Amino acid sequence: MADIQAAFFDIDGTLLPFGAEALPASTVDALARLRKNGVKTFIATGRPPVHLPYLHALDGIPFDGYVTMNGQYCYLADGTLLYSQFIDKAALRTLLPYIQAEKLSVGFVGRDFCLFNLINDLSRDFARELQQGTGDVAARIEADDIYQLSAFLPPEHEAEFLRRCPGCLAVRWADDFCDILPEGGGKPNGLRQTLAHLGLTREQCIAFGDGGNDVTMLEYAGIGVAMGNACEEAKAAADYVTDDIMKDGLAKALEHFGLI
């Protein structure tokens, strides 16, 4: 059995069912048992730190640290910053005329803010849930580091968007939505930096995910677990496919590998 010392968990579709207000009881119990057994637990999400306080389903559940914005901003539970990587300002300046002309809704995401250029039918519910609004994104680009873009656009527009935002890549976890990161970015960077701080190797970690933005993380981790409700790309990248999130999938996988 592998010497697993750290576990990384995606949130949406992995810990928290989409649209749910609470984690499955079996997941809460499994996380507590895992920590009791000495395994450090980490969030690994596409969401930025500013979103996490709105996810009340995580209230009261301790984690040792957070890999946020798909690995672009990583920190410990006490706030110690481990790693950060932001998008080049020149690329963002190049992108602005395109999204304005095409009336695309894009969230510009920093450490403690998410500011939209405009909000439309695709982004309205997302922005309302997280109390995000519109503003002068051109000024914000100059004043603050932007680590990630939350771009509300279907897959067929992705290639042109990236052409207008040089030096970036897209990771997708919804049909109408993708995250835009600097080239070379992704959750593995966050895992790598976190594990280095802990003095651990990739072989000593397990990671759980379900979406397209989890694929490289599942490939990187010593053990990559895809939820039963995961997309096909995540399942193909995983070492093990467990049951659905609502069928005790997370707990079953941890039991399968003898971690709880």
Side-chain angles (χ1 to χ4, degrees):
M1 181 62 63
D3 176 30
I4 299 299
Q5 299 294 319
F8 295 84
F9 301 94
D10 174 54
I11 297 176
D12 300 281
T14 301
L15 287 179
L16 183 65
F18 288 102
E21 296 183 356
L23 273 62
S26 65
T27 295
V28 175
D29 176 68
L31 290 172
R33 292 167 63 193
L34 185 64
R35 291 179 62 84
K36 185 177 180 180
N37 288 343
V39 177
K40 294 185 179 299
T41 58
F42 296 85
I43 290 290
T45 180
R47 293 179 180 266
V50 70
H51 285 186
L52 299 184
Y54 296 96
L55 296 178
H56 294 297
L58 300 181
D59 289 351
I61 299 177
F63 291 95
D64 292 283
Y66 300 84
V67 172
T68 68
M69 294 190 274
N70 290 295
Q72 303 311 112
Y73 195 87
C74 309
Y75 56 98
L76 299 179
D78 65 4
T80 300
L81 180 64
L82 299 181
Y83 175 75
S84 67
Q85 181 184 25
F86 52 84
I87 299 175
D88 181 65
K89 292 182 185 295
L92 297 173
R93 296 186 195 109
T94 301
L95 176 69
L96 278 182
Y98 169 69
I99 64 173
Q100 291 167 351
E102 297 296 322
K103 295 182 170 57
L104 296 175
S105 180
V106 179
F108 289 72
V109 188
R111 182 183 65 83
D112 54 6
F113 66 88
C114 178
L115 187 69
F116 281 84
N117 63 314
L118 62 89
I119 293 172
N120 60 19
D121 289 343
L122 292 178
S123 61
R124 187 166 289 111
D125 288 345
F126 180 91
R128 183 187 302 115
E129 175 189 352
L130 298 167
Q131 301 180 30
Q132 309 299 328
T134 59
D136 186 348
V137 295
R140 187 53 73 103
I141 287 170
E142 301 306 325
D144 294 288
D145 292 329
I146 306 297
Y147 294 93
Q148 175 174 283
L149 302 177
S150 300
F152 286 81
L153 72 161
E156 58 266 26
H157 295 292
E158 192 176 291
E160 180 63 15
F161 188 102
L162 291 174
R163 191 176 76 81
R164 305 283 186 148
C165 193
C168 290
L169 59 86
V171 292
R172 183 173 292 272
W173 48 278
D175 290 341
D176 294 327
F177 173 90
C178 64
D179 293 319
I180 306 297
L181 316 175
E183 281 184 351
K187 292 186 180 183
N189 286 344
L191 268 64
R192 185 180 302 112
Q193 298 293 329
T194 303
L195 291 168
H197 175 80
L198 298 173
L200 301 176
T201 67
R202 59 193 287 188
E203 289 77 20
Q204 292 176 290
C205 80
I206 186 170
F208 288 74
D210 71 294
N213 61 332
D214 297 318
V215 168
T216 55
M217 175 177 73
L218 298 181
E219 292 173 338
Y220 177 83
I223 300 174
V225 178
M227 305 303 292
N229 48 276
C231 68
E232 291 306 313
E233 293 82 3
K235 289 180 178 178
D239 300 295
Y240 182 75
V241 178
T242 188
D243 213 334
D244 285 13
I245 185 172
M246 293 304 293
K247 295 182 180 179
D248 306 331
L250 189 140
K252 288 176 180 177
L254 291 173
E255 289 171 351
H256 171 81
F257 287 105
L259 297 174
I260 63 173

